[in-house]
Amino acid sequence: MNGVGQSRSWRAAVAVCAVGSGASALVVWLVRRYGWTEASAIVTVAALPTGVLGTYLTLEARFRSSSGGAVGGPADLVGVAELLAVAVRRQWEAEAELHRLNEPYALPVRWRPASPGLVEDWRALIRLATIGGAGWPTPPAGGWAAGPAGLAGEGNDLVEVLDRVPTGRLVVLGEPGAGKTILLVRLVLGLLARRSSGWPVPVLVSLVSWDPTGQRLYDWLATRLTADYPALAEPAPGGGRCRARAVLDDGLVVPVLDGLDEIPNALRSVAIARINEALRPGQRLVVAARSQPYREAVSSVGGVELRLTGAAGIELCPLEAADVADYLRDSAGGLVGAARWDPVVAVLAEAPASPVAQALVTPLMAALARAVFNPRLGEQATAVPSRPADLLDQERFPSRAAVEEHLFDAFVPAAYRPHPDPARECPWRAADAERWLIFLARHLEHNLHGSPNFAWWRLPAAVSPRRSRLPQLATGLVAGLASGLTGGLVYWFACGPPYGLTHGFASGLTYGLGVGLSWGIKVPARAMRWHTRRGLTYGLVYGLVIGLATGLAYGLANSLAVGLTIGLTAALAGLAFGGFKTAPADLTTAAGPISALACDRATFRQQALAGGLAFGLAGGPLGGFVFGLTYGPAAGLAGGLVFGLALGVTVGFFRTASGTFALAHGWLAMRGRLPRRLIAFLDDAHQRRGVLRQVGAVYQFRHLELQRCLARR
């Protein structure tokens, strides 16, 4: 939420508290001074200022909610695309820097044309691009490639290769660890570097969360874009659509879809068919997958071969042994470190069929070997406990799979090994970090069905279903005792020990169990803004119910006046907790796990304090009104505060994701499954250790194979 909107929200909350407190105090004083009958008319007149202020805040909130998404935003979709390009470039430049993709230099990945049976015939691509109708890209200055052979290349040539495809559609295939994702990152950055104003923005997303049987491609893409770039959830210029859907519909996004092979086997063919249905004339597209799963998906579908419409294809090649040797020695931190690789370099050159030579020909394994055996910045090569020559022991590593398994096993301990520089020392022991990462990997593999995306708001799913009721009830009991203790102490001073302890603990346990029962997976809230219609509805219904209940207790004639006062004040307070809307966000910044959690926690605090306090003082009749009539203004004020804040906290647990995340994290940390400072641990694993990578608001393991290797332990 921006500063102006937040200050307005808090001013409105303060106004609600003030008016509600005055209204409740006025009702209590009038009834105690004049009795129910004489007070009815006075209460009705006293409710008028509350209604006036409520009307003002209602109109002000409606104006702000209808214009908040457009204030200060771009005037057209081209402007939205320009700012989105900035966000995408910042996102992937940061990831490339964190994972040292250019240190000492990027590995020279090469590719060749894909097998003809996996893609469409080249003549069909030319026909589609020339006579298929308007919208297709014009040939580049150098012209299209004469055939599939013209797509071979290496390094940063993929941008030019994409231009040489007549349709601008490409399938990127490769073996596990061949460097597909890194190549796509370089493609996105390359396209952005040469992009001109008004051109489509390349956006890299993973297909793992797409269910092609239940979601259309563009519907799912719009959801992903709003999750990774929250500002795209705002209304588009002209209204009617959100920005994400608008830029997709207007062709201002080039989808770069990674991980087609990570979709369940039975759905891959369906996914390709759904992509074909969604493609429009002139729509550029890049899809990446592992070679064998893609071959199985397109080979035969009910006896009919399937192809990605209008797409050419390339397949990544293994690295050259000389390139791997140069890369490992150049990143060894000096002559001493480079000399440690001499035995391995000799085997790479002389015995290409050896297990170590076969393993190190993929960029993933070469990068893991660098992390395991080479010193880090400020570290001496002689201080690294492992030696590259250990990989040559064929008794320990008789096959390529054994070498790869060893590198995966050694990577995490190497990332967390002690550093001689105290400023770079890791705050976690390697054994603890490895145990926590194994738990997260098993959570992703077993509880989330192999998904690579660790979203903090889905952590409640890590609690075993067989024991899920136990942490709910235990957490509810603890929260209830805490609330009961607070309420009991407040009532102790207001009404005396017996009544205070009894009713305080009773109310506290009630709300505490409500908190415990709020267990579940929720979508993070980005901000709390006044939701006029829902807030007024909730407040008026609440006031009507309380007014009728009061009428049954004190006479039906008096319930109208009481219900009017309580209903208006409760409706005014209801604006603070009626619901959430997306606050304006920075379109040039991608979402991150830490920022998403911070926004959700801020929303929770606003919900608990603004909504709960306002409701407690303004409505809270069970505490602030009934108790005030019976036990005096002090008890009424205490009851309003206790019930209102407890209600605000409870509603906050149901409305936001950080509450249930805290419950799940506390339960798992208490059992030693996760660190106490989980977010700090994940951020360190991403920023400094290179074990995790960040994709939008979720974390992923550096590679899916690393996740699976850890999960098998």
Side-chain angles (χ1 to χ4, degrees):
M1 181 180 293
N2 57 25
V4 175
Q6 192 169 22
S7 62
R8 286 181 176 180
S9 299
W10 281 105
R11 287 201 301 268
V14 171
V16 170
C17 293
V19 174
S21 300
S24 295
L26 178 63
V27 171
V28 171
W29 180 81
L30 287 173
V31 173
R32 292 177 64 87
R33 177 69 175 82
Y34 297 103
W36 281 95
T37 305
E38 291 81 359
S40 297
I42 304 176
V43 169
T44 303
V45 176
L48 293 177
T50 302
V52 172
L53 182 57
T55 302
Y56 164 74
L57 286 179
T58 299
L59 295 176
E60 197 268 344
R62 173 60 61 192
F63 171 77
R64 188 167 64 251
S65 63
S66 62
S67 60
V71 174
D76 53 22
L77 288 180
V78 174
V80 172
E82 296 303 310
L83 298 180
L84 175 61
V86 175
V88 175
R89 187 184 70 250
R90 289 178 176 176
Q91 175 187 3
W92 295 113
E93 283 180 347
E95 283 299 302
E97 180 180 357
L98 287 174
H99 289 282
R100 302 166 59 189
L101 298 185
N102 298 315
E103 295 181 17
Y105 45 77
L107 277 165
V109 177
R110 297 179 176 85
W111 56 85
R112 58 177 179 264
S115 301
L118 301 180
V119 294
E120 289 199 298
D121 183 74
W122 192 263
R123 291 176 299 176
L125 302 186
I126 295 177
R127 286 197 300 269
L128 182 62
T130 54
I131 63 176
W136 291 100
T138 57
W144 293 326
L151 302 183
E154 66 174 288
N156 293 323
D157 295 342
L158 192 57
V159 175
E160 287 72 23
V161 166
L162 188 62
D163 283 339
R164 294 201 292 267
V165 178
T167 57
R169 298 174 184 171
L170 187 67
V171 177
V172 179
L173 304 175
E175 299 303 317
K180 297 182 295 297
T181 299
I182 298 303
L183 189 64
L184 294 184
V185 171
R186 293 165 64 179
L187 171 65
V188 168
L189 292 176
L191 290 173
L192 290 172
R194 61 165 223 174
R195 177 181 176 274
S196 299
S197 178
W199 286 17
V201 181
V203 179
L204 174 59
V205 294
S206 174
L207 286 167
V208 66
S209 63
W210 182 33
D211 177 12
T213 62
Q215 291 177 296
R216 296 177 181 271
L217 176 65
Y218 274 39
D219 293 340
W220 171 79
L221 277 175
T223 302
R224 277 302 312 271
L225 289 178
T226 55
D228 292 346
Y229 310 98
L232 292 181
E234 294 292 326
R241 303 173 294 176
C242 69
R243 290 170 173 173
R245 189 64 199 228
V247 293
L248 286 169
D249 290 343
D250 285 29
L252 292 174
V253 169
V254 177
V256 181
L257 308 177
D258 190 17
L260 179 64
D261 54 285
E262 295 172 3
I263 294 178
N265 298 345
L267 299 182
R268 290 172 192 153
S269 299
V270 179
I272 296 175
R274 294 294 178 266
I275 293 174
N276 289 339
E277 293 174 1
L279 290 176
R280 303 162 180 153
Q283 173 69 66
R284 306 181 78 189
L285 177 76
V286 179
V287 177
R290 299 186 183 188
S291 301
Q292 186 58 32
Y294 188 82
R295 185 183 305 274
E296 294 172 355
V298 303
S299 60
S300 177
V301 182
V304 179
E305 292 186 344
L306 180 66
R307 300 289 181 269
L308 189 62
T309 302
I314 60 172
E315 188 169 7
L316 304 189
C317 304
L319 296 172
E320 297 289 338
D323 294 334
V324 174
D326 292 340
Y327 174 77
L328 294 174
R329 300 184 68 177
D330 292 344
S331 60
L335 296 178
V336 175
R340 287 159 44 90
W341 286 101
D342 288 345
V344 175
V345 169
V347 172
L348 291 177
E350 299 171 3
S354 64
V356 65
Q358 291 179 344
L360 295 181
V361 294
T362 63
L364 173 61
M365 290 298 125
L368 291 182
R370 179 188 70 172
V372 171
F373 298 111
N374 282 349
R376 295 165 294 178
L377 183 65
E379 188 178 25
Q380 297 294 327
T382 55
V384 180
S386 302
R387 299 180 306 161
D390 296 341
L391 297 176
L392 303 179
D393 187 349
Q394 294 200 14
E395 291 186 2
R396 293 178 57 192
F397 312 115
S399 64
R400 171 180 179 175
V403 175
E404 294 176 346
E405 189 77 13
H406 173 71
L407 291 176
F408 278 126
D409 290 341
F411 173 62
V412 173
Y416 287 91
R417 68 175 177 250
H419 198 285
D421 185 358
R424 298 178 180 272
E425 182 60 41
C426 179
W428 294 278
R429 295 190 304 118
D432 292 335
E434 190 170 14
R435 185 178 76 253
W436 297 329
L437 290 170
I438 289 174
F439 176 80
L440 290 178
R442 291 178 62 83
H443 163 57
L444 294 174
E445 286 294 314
H446 301 301
N447 299 325
L448 300 184
H449 310 291
S451 171
N453 297 330
F454 175 73
W456 57 262
W457 57 90
R458 301 194 70 185
L459 188 61
V463 179
S464 174
R466 292 176 298 174
R467 302 179 182 178
S468 60
R469 302 299 300 178
L470 180 58
Q472 287 184 32
L473 298 178
T475 306
L477 182 61
V478 172
L481 290 175
S483 301
L485 178 61
T486 304
L489 291 176
V490 172
Y491 278 117
W492 181 296
F493 292 104
C495 329
Y499 188 88
L501 291 177
T502 303
H503 289 74
F505 275 102
S507 60
L509 285 174
T510 301
Y511 284 117
L513 291 175
V515 170
L517 294 175
S518 67
W519 190 278
I521 298 175
K522 305 173 180 65
V523 178
R526 288 190 292 273
M528 184 180 77
R529 294 171 64 188
W530 307 114
H531 196 308
T532 309
R533 183 181 303 172
R534 190 181 303 171
L536 285 174
T537 302
Y538 288 173
L540 287 173
V541 170
Y542 182 86
L544 178 61
V545 171
I546 295 300
L548 293 176
T550 305
L552 295 177
Y554 294 95
L556 188 60
N558 299 301
S559 66
L560 294 177
V562 176
L564 177 61
T565 302
I566 296 174
L568 288 174
T569 53
L572 186 57
L575 292 175
F577 70 94
F580 300 108
K581 287 186 177 181
T582 303
D586 184 5
L587 190 51
T588 62
T589 303
I594 296 179
S595 62
L597 180 59
C599 289
D600 191 88
R601 284 174 172 170
T603 304
F604 181 89
R605 290 192 297 268
Q606 292 175 1
Q607 172 67 69
L609 294 178
L613 188 61
F615 197 92
L617 294 177
L622 289 176
F625 188 73
V626 176
F627 290 133
L629 292 176
T630 308
Y631 295 97
L637 180 61
L641 286 172
V642 171
F643 278 91
L645 290 176
L647 179 63
V649 170
T650 304
V651 175
F653 269 92
F654 280 92
R655 294 279 187 177
T656 62
S658 56
T660 50
F661 163 73
L663 300 182
H665 173 220
W667 175 260
L668 295 171
M670 182 178 63
R671 303 178 62 194
R673 302 294 181 86
L674 291 176
R676 296 182 184 276
R677 296 187 297 140
L678 175 59
I679 298 301
F681 172 74
L682 296 175
D683 185 59
D684 178 80
H686 167 235
Q687 297 275 357
R688 301 182 62 181
R689 311 297 158 193
V691 178
L692 302 178
R693 62 186 179 188
Q694 180 181 311
V695 181
V698 302
Y699 288 114
Q700 295 179 349
F701 279 91
R702 179 171 182 154
H703 195 274
L704 187 60
E705 290 301 321
L706 175 61
Q707 172 183 315
R708 291 171 177 170
C709 179
L710 290 171
R712 287 195 296 267
R713 298 192 187 178

